[in-house]
Amino acid sequence: MIQTDSDSSRRVAYFYNRFIGKFQYGKEHPMKPKRIIMAHNLIVNYGLFRQMDVYLIREAQLQEIRKFHDPDYIIYLSQFMSQNKINFVKEYCSANNESVIPENLLEEFKLIIKWSQQQKIKTENSEFKVGDSPDNPTFSGLFSYCQLSSGASIDCAHSILTGQADIAINWSGGLHHAKKKEASGFCYINDIVLCILELLRVYVRVLYVDIDCHHGDGVEEAFYLTNRVMTLSFHQYGDDFYPGTGQLNSVGVGVGRYYSVNVPMKPGMSDEPYIEMFKKITSRVMQVYRPDCIVMQCGADSLSLDKLGGFNLSIKGHGACVQYMKSFGTPMILLGGGGYTISNVSRCWAYETGIALGQQIDQAIPSNDIYYDYYSPDYLLHFPIKQNVENRNKTEDLNKIVSTVYDYLSYIEN
Ligand code: ZLV
Ligand code: CA
Ligand code: ZN
């Protein structure tokens, strides 16, 4: 392990719960929560966990989720899922030869059911169509999964606000497509919005940076009308690529005008042009906006060989963006997001946990890892990127994007 920063004194808080990796969207579904366990195992086996404060993820409470989401939508999700949660725990208990559901869990289910009945919510004929689209299926324990993912992002905010950490990490968060009362793009509850709202109780300005291959539409929409959050998303755009928003000219509305920044790109982006775009834009954003805190969504579907994304980044290129944001010395929260070639996702997030700690981890995957076989045939951290990929972005088009973004940022009053 090599020390990469002179400043390794930054305290890192890392949030994890093994339960999160056990949920399943479905056999054919590209989103695999198991990648969170795989990333965690690398983090443990590389010895990184010894250098951080490791916290157990708790479930966000219904009241906390209400800070952003529509109460009827939450009750819909929680009531609809509570039977599933019971089934999930039953399945879990029987798989582990535990015949009785732990009393405390049972009590919690009863409370949820009672609360939702009090609210007289009917699940039939509901306007909330979770489960209707294959992108957002219902599955065993769905609501618990949402509560864990968002509980961790909220606690990331707390660990920064209390000064316990300079960098906080939740690889199970980053679910940037969820809307106030709508699930979309594999996301149901927007942990990022909940995290940022918590930060806004103290901080004046929060910068959101999104390097997932998809546009961070849910987060952008939530803060489209405010100047207290600047949202900045780099993404693939065009040819019906999901979700179809995030044009260069979507800049925000009212006092929020020019506080939404979008960098839409065509497929094939490789390290060099991507990092150049990233640095040119984030350096100007930092200079103009001077945020009190940075929330970075590190979706790993912008890596080469991803099953959904069309970019061609290496782990080093992806990580260089994290390293660059860290270099400003502003408190920072790192969240996960997309990433569908799971062995590369876990490699990437382990490497970026190292970056947070100022440690460059070894190229050889630790051989004691339970998922070692996933890293065949090379068993190396840095996988070879796809060769002969055409970058469909012309340099002049990328330069035009940068100059337009600079123009927009120049309208922000200092
Ligand atoms: O990485 O999906 O294109 C953060 C994130 O940003 C669509 N969904 C929707 C809109 C109409 N379509 C098709 C519905 C397909 C449903 C099943 C798949 C199944 C197998 C393989 C690929 C997909 C898929 N779905 C690929 N792209 C989609 C997108 C949603 C992408 C969400 C990205 C989430 C976590
Ligand atoms: Ca993005
Ligand atoms: Zn994505």
Side-chain angles (χ1 to χ4, degrees):
M1 199 126 45
I2 306 165
Q3 188 99 4
T4 52
D5 290 5
S6 52
D7 175 12
S8 66
S9 59
R10 265 176 263 181
R11 283 183 72 174
V12 178
Y14 168 79
F15 291 83
Y16 179 72
N17 188 327
R18 167 176 83 87
F19 249 104
I20 261 233
K22 298 285 177 193
F23 297 98
Q24 278 173 341
Y25 280 67
K27 237 177 137 125
E28 304 298 320
H29 199 286
M31 178 58 106
K32 304 287 179 203
K34 182 177 170 177
R35 66 212 174 113
I36 309 297
I37 305 187
M38 291 170 62
H40 178 78
N41 281 6
L42 289 181
I43 288 164
V44 169
N45 290 324
Y46 270 113
L48 294 173
F49 78 108
R50 279 186 264 110
Q51 306 166 56
M52 324 187 265
D53 295 318
V54 178
Y55 296 97
L56 181 68
I57 294 177
R58 59 161 185 109
E59 292 179 333
Q61 299 305 296
L62 302 159
Q63 286 82 347
E64 298 178 283
I65 297 173
R66 272 187 70 156
K67 297 269 160 66
F68 174 56
H69 289 281
D70 177 271
D72 290 350
Y73 174 62
I74 304 167
I75 293 158
Y76 169 77
L77 268 187
S78 68
Q79 177 182 252
F80 188 57
M81 302 308 155
S82 54
Q83 186 56 48
N84 273 352
K85 184 168 173 180
I86 293 170
N87 292 342
F88 177 71
V89 176
K90 277 184 182 160
E91 280 165 27
Y92 182 83
C93 289
S94 71
N96 290 281
N97 290 325
E98 292 167 26
S99 55
V100 190
I101 299 175
E103 195 59 37
N104 56 337
L105 286 179
L106 204 59
E107 279 310 308
E108 198 199 316
F109 300 149
K110 284 182 192 159
L111 278 173
I112 292 175
I113 293 163
K114 194 170 151 202
W115 189 59
S116 55
Q117 283 167 347
Q118 280 167 355
Q119 308 280 330
K120 297 197 180 65
I121 295 298
K122 297 188 187 75
T123 52
E124 323 82 69
N125 306 322
S126 170
E127 59 180 301
F128 310 115
K129 305 240 177 286
V130 176
D132 285 6
S133 125
D135 273 347
N136 288 75
T138 59
F139 55 85
S140 197
L142 166 60
F143 192 63
S144 300
Y145 166 75
C146 297
Q147 286 178 292
L148 288 166
S149 150
S150 52
S153 294
I154 293 167
D155 282 355
C156 280
H158 291 154
S159 71
I160 297 287
L161 289 175
T162 56
Q164 288 178 73
D166 307 300
I167 301 178
I169 302 176
N170 170 26
W171 296 129
S172 65
L175 303 178
H176 59 179
H177 298 304
K179 311 288 159 32
K180 186 182 162 89
K181 44 173 149 179
E182 186 191 340
S184 70
F186 317 162
C187 310
Y188 304 81
I189 294 291
N190 201 315
D191 63 291
I192 310 168
V193 172
L194 294 171
C195 169
I196 294 175
L197 287 174
E198 215 50 34
L199 294 168
L200 290 176
R201 291 168 67 166
V202 177
Y203 292 139
V204 180
R205 290 179 300 278
V206 175
L207 172 65
Y208 172 67
V209 182
D210 183 320
I211 59 170
D212 189 289
C213 194
H214 299 92
H215 175 231
D217 58 351
V219 185
E220 177 181 278
E221 186 180 296
F223 301 112
Y224 211 56
L225 300 171
T226 181
N227 55 9
R228 291 191 55 202
V229 180
M230 180 177 278
T231 59
L232 164 58
S233 176
F234 296 81
H235 45 267
Q236 184 176 330
Y237 182 82
D239 298 331
D240 286 333
F241 191 72
Y242 187 86
T245 49
Q247 302 91 315
L248 185 57
N249 65 4
S250 301
V251 293
V253 164
V255 286
R257 191 162 169 85
Y258 305 121
Y259 292 87
S260 288
V261 181
N262 283 296
V263 186
M265 291 167 284
K266 298 199 173 78
M269 281 299 280
S270 57
D271 288 353
E272 207 198 334
Y274 190 95
I275 296 169
E276 192 180 323
M277 287 292 277
F278 186 86
K279 288 189 176 173
K280 279 181 179 167
I281 289 170
T282 53
S283 58
R284 183 65 63 95
V285 159
M286 289 301 287
Q287 191 189 355
V288 170
Y289 193 58
R290 293 172 290 106
D292 302 302
C293 185
I294 299 165
V295 176
M296 186 163 182
Q297 197 269 21
C298 303
D301 48 6
S302 39
L303 291 174
S304 181
L305 297 163
D306 188 79
K307 291 191 174 125
L308 303 194
F311 287 166
N312 200 30
L313 301 184
S314 73
I315 289 176
K316 284 186 180 152
H318 197 272
C321 299
V322 176
Q323 176 73 57
Y324 191 66
M325 292 319 293
K326 185 193 171 194
S327 73
F328 294 98
T330 305
M332 184 156 76
I333 295 174
L334 300 179
L335 304 174
Y340 306 100
T341 300
I342 60 173
S343 53
N344 293 343
V345 177
S346 53
R347 286 172 159 113
C348 181
W349 291 344
Y351 179 71
E352 288 169 359
T353 305
I355 289 176
L357 287 163
Q359 301 284 323
Q360 196 183 341
I361 57 176
D362 296 343
Q363 165 74 324
I365 299 281
S367 59
N368 61 335
D369 199 283
I370 328 176
Y371 296 104
Y372 194 60
D373 287 347
Y374 277 78
Y375 306 105
S376 76
D378 296 342
Y379 304 97
L380 298 176
L381 182 67
H382 296 284
F383 66 89
I385 62 161
K386 220 163 146 183
Q387 294 301 305
N388 308 319
V389 174
E390 181 206 358
N391 179 7
R392 289 179 38 202
N393 300 273
K394 294 201 199 93
T395 310
E396 64 218 62
D397 295 344
L398 295 175
N399 289 340
K400 182 82 187 81
I401 292 174
V402 173
S403 69
T404 306
V405 168
Y406 280 8
D407 279 349
Y408 291 149
L409 292 172
S410 73
Y411 302 133
I412 289 179
E413 315 227 335
N414 285 294

